[in-house]
Every structure is written in structure tokens, then in C-alpha cells.
């Protein structure tokens, strides 16, 4: 109800007919001739008995690019919340870092089989950016702190922040 109120929705009316609200679940939730989207659970809302998800987006033609998005992770990475999908090859891993510090997740990043890492959703930003830059010197792939409007291109197997 809160979400509907935020969008100024009146029950029974759909102000945005192109948006279909539904409950999410794990597994493949979308596929067409170009991409597939698969949800995976996170522990972000375990403490309140709710579900939260990250996702993998795979290109089904062309470069067959793969992007892993962590979704929101739990406070201090409790519940072994690091996405197990990061141990599989992906061109880009987009990971939030609002609820923990680089030193709490670095060992997981080091074991990941991703080609690049984009860190987003930072809090506190000023404090974490220097720590992330330091951590990046020890990881075997490029690490970027990204913000709204940044563009990352995956082309011919190469990942580039434009």
C-alpha cells in the first residue's frame, strides 16, 4: 500500500498501464530473444522476515555478455549474503556497499570470477571511496565507484567505463 501511495495509485486503477506490479521470486523471471533475467535471493531483509533479490542479466546473442547485480545486501554481510553467482564468470558485477565496508567484502571479491566490478549505493561516500580505491589495488580486475549517469560498455569481451 505504501508503494502504491508513493506512486499515487488508487486501488483498482492503473495510472501506468505499462507497469505490472507482481511479487518477485527466485529463478528466471524474464526472457526474450535478446536477454534473460534471473533473480537470486539476498539476506538484506531477513531480519524482518521479507525477501530481497539481486539479479543476473545475460545477453543471449552477440557478445553473450553477463551482468551480475547484487541487489541490497545485509548489514555487515550477515547470513553469508555474498552472491554465489559471483563465483561464476560475469563481465560486470554491480555491487552495493551501503551496509558494510570494503574490508568486510574484499576476500569475497578476490575469489570472484568477474571481469570488472562497479560499486554503487555507498554510505558514507566520503569515508568509503578512499578505502575502495585502496582495495582496488589488490584485486585482479578493474574496480569503479559509479554514480547515476555513468556508462559502462561491454563490447567484444571488453568492459570499459566511459
Amino acid at each position: 500500500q505504501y508503494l502504491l501511495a508513493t506512486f499515487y495509485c488508487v486501488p483498482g486503477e492503473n495510472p501506468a498501464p505499462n507497469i505490472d506490479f507482481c511479487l518477485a521470486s527466485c529463478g528466471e523471471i524474464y526472457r526474450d530473444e535478446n536477454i534473460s533475467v534471473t533473480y537470486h535471493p539476498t539476506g538484506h531483509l531477513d531480519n524482518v522476515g521479507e525477501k530481497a533479490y539481486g539479479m543476473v542479466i545475460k545477453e543471449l546473442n552477440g557478445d553473450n555478455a553477463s551482468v551480475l547485480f547484487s541487489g541490497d545486501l545485509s548489514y555487515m554481510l550477515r547470513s553469508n549474503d555474498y552472491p554465489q553467482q559471483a563465483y561464476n564468470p560475469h563481465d560486470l558485477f554491480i555491487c552495493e556497499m551501503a551496509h558494510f565496508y570494503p574490508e568486510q567484502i574484499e576476500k569475497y571479491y578476490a575469489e570472484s570470477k568477474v571481469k570488472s566490478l562497479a560499486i554503487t549505493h555507498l554510505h558514507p561516500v566520503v569515508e568509503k571511496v578512499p578505502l575502495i580505491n585502496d582495495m582496488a589495488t589488490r584485486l585482479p580486475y578493474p574496480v569503479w565507484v559509479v554514480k547515476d549517469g555513468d556508462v559502462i560498455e561491454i563490447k567484444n569481451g571488453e568492459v570499459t567505463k566511459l
Side-chain angles (χ1 to χ4, degrees), residues 12 61 75 102 143 153:
N61 52 38
Y75 178 72
V143 177
E153 180 179 68

Side-chain angles (χ1 to χ4, degrees), residues 97-102 121-132 145:
M97 195 178 286
H99 309 292
F100 48 86
Y101 280 82
H121 192 47
L122 296 176
H123 180 75
V125 175
V126 173
E127 188 176 322
K128 287 185 180 175
V129 169
L131 299 172
I132 292 167
V145 174

Side-chain angles (χ1 to χ4, degrees), residues 35-38 55-59 65-69 90:
I35 66 167
S36 70
V37 179
T38 304
M55 69 180 77
V56 174
I57 303 168
K58 289 187 180 180
E59 183 183 33
S66 177
V67 176
L68 168 62
F69 174 63
H90 295 284

Side-chain angles (χ1 to χ4, degrees), residues 42-44 46-47 74-82 84:
T42 73
H44 181 61
D46 286 354
N47 63 324
S74 60
Y75 178 72
M76 306 295 273
L77 287 179
R78 71 175 182 283
S79 306
N80 192 24
D81 201 20
Y82 189 74
Q84 297 302 299

Side-chain angles (χ1 to χ4, degrees), residues 35-162:
I35 66 167
S36 70
V37 179
T38 304
Y39 278 3
H40 59 85
T42 73
H44 181 61
L45 298 175
D46 286 354
N47 63 324
V48 293
E50 297 293 335
K51 297 182 186 305
Y53 302 94
M55 69 180 77
V56 174
I57 303 168
K58 289 187 180 180
E59 183 183 33
L60 301 176
N61 52 38
D63 287 339
N64 293 313
S66 177
V67 176
L68 168 62
F69 174 63
S70 69
D72 270 347
L73 301 176
S74 60
Y75 178 72
M76 306 295 273
L77 287 179
R78 71 175 182 283
S79 306
N80 192 24
D81 201 20
Y82 189 74
Q84 297 302 299
Q85 295 79 0
Y87 300 119
N88 298 322
H90 295 284
D91 294 290
L92 175 63
F93 179 19
I94 303 170
C95 190
E96 72 91 14
M97 195 178 286
H99 309 292
F100 48 86
Y101 280 82
E103 61 269 16
Q104 293 165 303
I105 198 168
E106 182 176 350
K107 66 181 178 182
Y108 301 108
Y109 286 154
E111 296 171 359
S112 296
K113 301 216 182 329
V114 299
K115 287 185 181 177
S116 58
L117 172 64
I119 298 176
T120 186
H121 192 47
L122 296 176
H123 180 75
V125 175
V126 173
E127 188 176 322
K128 287 185 180 175
V129 169
L131 299 172
I132 292 167
N133 290 336
D134 180 57
M135 176 188 68
T137 66
R138 294 183 295 278
L139 294 175
Y141 44 77
V143 177
W144 305 292
V145 174
V146 295
K147 60 188 180 316
D148 290 351
D150 285 350
V151 176
I152 297 174
E153 180 179 68
I154 303 171
K155 187 174 182 179
N156 299 322
E158 298 295 320
V159 184
T160 309
K161 182 173 181 264
L162 304 177

